[in-house]
Structure formats: structure tokens, C-alpha cells
């Protein structure tokens, strides 16, 4: 880990210089770690895609540190953008706006729009300033893997393919930003996050749509299991990134939905059979149900109390990565309430599970 440095003033200055010279720096934000390059430099954007192994039709978010900087990269900005920025920036909200000529097509994956976010992490804001003000950054994982919430996760995926990794400890929120498209007649959420639909509707005083295609997932059928796949297909999500299997652990993952008691029984029964068949089993549960699985011989991971949605969100990606290092063959996860932040939690878990849902 010889390219990992703690995020202090001296290292931020070095990191800024690396970006201005066209290099790559992974850095902490309040949501997840980002893999940063100069968003106005097409060569830097190309290097980001290469380092992540990401398809180049999947656009990057440009991170800014001052509101005035949006004029350089976006145009025809609707009032809603300023109203939301005033209340929620810096913070975990990404806005899709019309792009100016200053934004290279490489950064927007060929689109005429651009994603912009001002993160609230203090070190991130300082780094963006030192880097010239426009840091393009996807989550700093290799494509398809769970997003990184620690510098060690970034190192695990990208190693020395980045020039520098700024270590700021654990990400406070642990789930990527809410993405809101403001280029249509009505605002549309393309990716749910900590800023909920209700938060945005309250601030704007009007209806906000949710791109249903972004929350759908392909389901795999697996020997005789009853799976509830996604209902409707055929339309691509508007955030290109949402169409890929995502946030995914290496193991087969299954979400189990139903009355709490039936869920623990069903997971216990299936886990027993899997363990008997020689598989390593992981279970994602909560404090309330943790005890129900003891003695099974499974790797049990509690995400905290069922009502503490913030705590649950913060632990998801680390849990999924831990199962990978434990060589787990199958992961069962309990189902969570989809209200408020729960919508984002379930969006990520369902995608990690590739849409595999068992109803009990
Ligand atoms: O919290 C976050 O948003 C983190 C941190 C690092 O800021 N970043 C992040 O970036 O999650 P990434 O690249 O992993 O996810 C960005 C998503 C992708 O699904 C991408 O397709 C979508 O945003 N996106 C980017 N630009 C877009 C655009 N112009 N139109 C529609 N979707 C866009
Ligand atoms: Mg990502």
C-alpha cells in the first residue's frame, strides 16, 4: 500500500498536482471513495475508464467545490438546481444538467448532459480546489464490485493503477449519492440515495419522478428456486451505470422477503442444506435476528438495528467485501423496508443480488 497517504494538507497539495498533470487520485467523500481525474481533460477521463475496467458509455460525475463553478460546465440551468444546491450542497446529491463545450465527451460518455456534485467531505473539497476545481470521479472500485468505503477497499481493487490514494478513514454515509435529472420537464431520480424523493419534493414543492428502470434488476434463475424477478423490461435506465450488474460480491446472493419469522426460518433451512453440501454461507441480518442464526456455522453479519437505516447503509459494502475475502459461496440477505433511505439500501442490495429474490 505504498501509494496510500493520509488526507492532510501536504498530501492534498501533492494530489492536486497529480490531477493537474493528468494523473489519477482516489479520494474519500462522505458517500464512497472516488477515483478522481481532471474532468476537463479527455485523456484523464480515458485513464479512469481504463483503471476501473469500466465501459466508456458510462459517464462520470464532475465534483466541484464552489457553486459558481457550475457555470463553466453546465448551461440553461433551471431554477430547481439553485434551490436544491442552496439546501443540499455540499452533500450527497448529484444533478444532471446540460453540458457546456468545456466538458469533454469522454467525461460524459458521449452524452450532451453532465453529472455534477459538490461533496461535503472537508478534505475532498480541499482536494478538488487544489486539483483545479473539476474532478471527474466514479466510485473507486473496479467495475461491478461493491463501492469502496475505506482506503483499503480502493487498494484491494485498484492497487498501483492509481498514482495516489488519499486515506480519510471510513465513509460516513457508505452509499453513493442520489442522482437527480433536471434536464426533463419534471425532475427524475435516476439513482436513489440518502437524499430521498420526499426530501426533494419538500424542497421543490412539486412532484419528483423515479426512473423505475434504474431500480430494476435482471434475475437469474437457479435450480428450482422461486424467484421474483423484475416485472417489466425493455427500457434502459437513463443513468447508464444503473443497467450493469453492480455492487456485486463474488458469491451467489439471494434476498429473502416475507414475514420476519418466516424469513429467519427460510434462511436457516437453506443455509443448513448449503453447509451440508459443503458450501460456505454468509448471512446478512440485523441485531434483532442475529441470534436466530447462531450455531449454524455460517458467517453472520449484522448491519445493526433494523430501525437504524443510516447504520445499515454505512455497513453494506464492507459486509459484501468481507464475504469475498472469506471465500463465501452463497449469501442470504434479509429484506429491508423500502421507505426513505430504505429505498437506496434495497436498490443496492437487490443489484448486488442480481435481482434474486426468494419470497417466503
Ligand atoms: O456518491 C457518489 O456519487 C460517488 C462519489 C465518488 O461521488 N460517485 C459515484 O460515481 O457513484 P459512479 O460513476 O460510480 O456512478 C455515477 C452514476 C452512473 O450510474 C452513471 O451512469 C450516472 O451516474 N451518470 C453520470 N453522468 C450521467 C448523465 N449525464 N446522465 C445520466 N446518468 C449519468
Ligand atoms: Mg459506481
Amino acid at each position: 500500500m505504498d501509494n496510500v497517504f493520509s488526507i492532510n494538507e501536504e498530501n492534498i497539495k501533492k494530489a492536486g498536482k497529480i490531477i493537474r498533470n493528468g494523473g489519477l487520485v482516489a479520494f474519500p467523500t462522505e458517500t464512497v471513495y472516488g477515483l478522481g481525474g481532471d474532468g476537463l481533460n479527455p485523456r484523464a477521463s480515458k485513464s479512469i475508464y481504463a483503471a476501473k475496467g469500466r465501459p466508456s458509455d458510462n459517464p462520470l460525475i464532475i465534483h466541484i467545490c464552489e457553486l459558481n463553478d457550475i457555470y463553466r460546465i453546465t448551461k440553461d440551468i433551471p431554477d430547481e438546481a439553485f434551490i436544491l444546491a442552496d439546501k443540499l450542497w455540499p452533500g450527497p446529491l448529484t444533478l444532471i444538467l446540460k453540458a457546456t463545450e468545456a466538458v469533454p465527451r469522454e467525461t460524459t460518455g458521449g452524452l450532451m448532459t453532465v453529472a455534477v456534485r459538490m461533496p461535503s467531505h472537508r478534505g475532498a473539497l480541499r482536494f478538488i480546489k487544489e486539483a483545479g476545481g473539476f474532478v471527474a470521479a466514479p466510485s473507486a472500485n473496479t467495475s461491478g464490485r461493491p463501492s469502496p468505503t475505506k482506503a483499503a477497499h480502493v487498494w484491494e481493487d485498484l492497487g498501483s493503477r492509481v498514482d495516489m490514494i488519499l486515506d480519510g478513514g471510513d465513509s460516513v454515509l457508505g452509499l453513493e449519492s442520489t442522482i437527480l435529472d433536471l434536464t426533463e420537464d419534471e425532475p427524475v431520480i435516476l439513482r436513489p440515495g440518502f437524499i430521498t424523493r420526499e426530501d426533494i419534493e419538500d424542497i421543490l414543492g412539486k412532484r419528483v419522478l423515479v426512473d423505475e428502470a434504474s431500480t430494476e434488476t435482471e434475475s437469474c434463475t437457479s435450480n428450482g428456486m422461486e424467484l421474483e424477478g423484475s416485472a417489466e423490461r425493455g427500457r434502459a435506465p437513463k443513468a447508464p451505470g444503473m443497467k450493469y450488474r453492480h455492487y456485486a460480491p463474488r458469491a451467489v446472493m439471494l434476498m429473502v422477503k416475507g414475514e420476519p419469522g418466516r424469513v429467519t426460518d427460510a434462511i436457516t433451512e437453506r443455509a443448513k442444506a448449503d453447509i451440508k453440501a459443503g458450501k460456505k454461507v454468509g448471512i446478512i441480518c440485523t441485531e434483532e435476528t442475529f441470534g436466530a442464526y447462531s450455531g449454524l456455522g455460517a458467517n453472520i453479519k449484522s448491519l445493526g438495528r433494523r430501525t437504524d437505516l443510516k447504520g445499515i447503509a454505512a455497513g453494506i459494502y464492507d459486509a459484501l467485501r468481507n464475504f469475498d475475502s472469506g471465500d463465501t459461496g452463497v449469501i442470504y440477505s434479509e429484506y429491508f423496508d423500502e421507505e426513505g433511505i430504505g429505498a437506496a439500501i434495497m436498490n443496492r442490495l437487490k443489484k448486488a443480488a442480481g435481482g434474486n429474490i426468494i419470497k417466503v
Side-chain angles (χ1 to χ4, degrees):
M1 298 197 12
D2 56 351
N3 57 351
V4 182
F5 296 89
S6 70
I7 185 158
N8 57 33
E9 196 53 29
E10 187 191 342
N11 292 330
I12 285 173
K13 287 216 162 76
K14 284 185 191 155
K17 198 165 171 201
I18 293 173
I19 299 287
R20 281 182 274 116
N21 288 331
L24 302 182
V25 174
F27 63 101
T29 81
E30 73 281 20
T31 58
V32 299
Y33 276 72
L35 167 57
D38 181 355
L40 305 185
N41 174 351
R43 302 241 306 280
S45 291
K46 280 190 177 165
S47 326
I48 292 176
Y49 290 111
K52 254 185 90 90
R54 178 175 186 152
S56 59
D57 68 343
N58 190 358
L60 308 174
I61 297 173
I62 298 187
H63 295 69
I64 58 171
C65 59
E66 275 166 38
L67 187 56
N68 269 342
D69 288 342
I70 61 169
Y71 295 108
R72 175 99 180 266
I73 53 174
T74 69
K75 61 183 181 189
D76 307 335
I77 309 165
D79 290 344
E80 281 99 340
F82 294 106
I83 295 169
L84 290 168
D86 183 50
K87 296 264 192 239
L88 301 172
W89 273 2
L93 175 72
T94 295
L95 299 177
I96 309 291
L97 297 165
K98 285 191 186 143
T100 62
E101 299 291 307
V103 185
R105 289 292 185 89
E106 284 77 2
T107 304
T108 66
L111 298 175
M112 306 302 283
T113 57
V114 63
V116 192
R117 165 163 125 80
M118 192 194 295
S120 63
H121 190 289
R122 289 266 212 88
L125 290 170
R126 276 288 303 128
F127 160 66
I128 295 163
K129 184 144 187 78
E130 285 296 322
F134 302 93
V135 175
S139 48
N141 49 288
T142 41
S143 200
R145 295 218 61 216
S147 294
T149 56
K150 299 171 187 296
H153 294 164
V154 179
W155 167 259
E156 203 171 87
D157 279 18
L158 300 172
S160 50
R161 271 180 284 162
V162 280
D163 299 301
M164 189 176 189
I165 298 172
L166 287 172
D167 186 349
D170 291 0
S171 308
V172 177
L173 301 181
L175 287 187
E176 304 88 340
S177 61
T178 305
I179 301 181
L180 184 72
D181 184 359
L182 290 177
T183 65
E184 302 282 349
D185 293 339
E186 288 182 282
V188 189
I189 291 177
L190 305 186
R191 180 174 71 186
F194 264 86
I195 309 285
T196 64
R197 175 190 202 162
E198 297 75 29
D199 294 335
I200 300 170
E201 285 183 337
D202 281 353
I203 293 170
L204 295 180
K206 66 171 182 184
R207 183 172 74 146
V208 170
L209 307 175
V210 176
D211 181 15
E212 294 301 336
S214 72
T215 58
E216 283 173 14
T217 39
E218 294 289 321
S219 82
C220 328
T221 31
S222 103
N223 32 345
M225 270 177 190
E226 190 198 327
L227 296 175
E228 177 200 318
S230 53
E232 172 219 7
R233 297 270 160 69
R235 195 169 66 83
K238 228 195 132 191
M242 299 305 279
K243 72 178 178 247
Y244 299 104
R245 179 167 186 224
H246 233 227
Y247 320 116
R250 297 193 178 100
V252 172
M253 180 164 156
L254 298 143
M255 302 288 310
V256 184
K257 184 180 184 180
E259 290 297 311
R262 296 186 65 168
V263 168
T264 45
D265 285 352
I267 292 179
T268 304
E269 201 178 301
R270 283 166 190 271
K272 268 188 194 157
D274 289 333
I275 291 166
K276 210 169 164 194
K279 288 186 199 162
K280 281 200 175 177
V281 174
I283 297 174
I284 297 178
C285 64
T286 57
E287 290 300 293
E288 291 84 350
T289 53
F290 188 83
Y293 307 112
S294 63
L296 273 178
N299 181 1
I300 315 164
K301 176 72 192 167
S302 163
L303 296 177
R305 295 194 64 79
R306 181 158 278 274
T307 45
D308 176 17
L309 292 180
K310 272 193 94 167
I312 289 173
I316 288 178
Y317 289 137
D318 190 45
L320 293 175
R321 279 178 182 263
N322 277 335
F323 288 130
D324 280 353
S325 44
D327 219 13
T328 310
V330 51
I331 301 168
Y332 293 101
S333 171
E334 294 179 356
Y335 216 82
F336 296 91
D337 198 9
E338 292 182 75
E339 290 297 304
I341 303 171
I345 292 172
M346 285 305 297
N347 173 265
R348 306 307 193 276
L349 282 174
K350 283 185 192 168
K351 284 197 188 282
N356 289 337
I357 298 166
I358 304 169
K359 271 192 181 164
V360 295

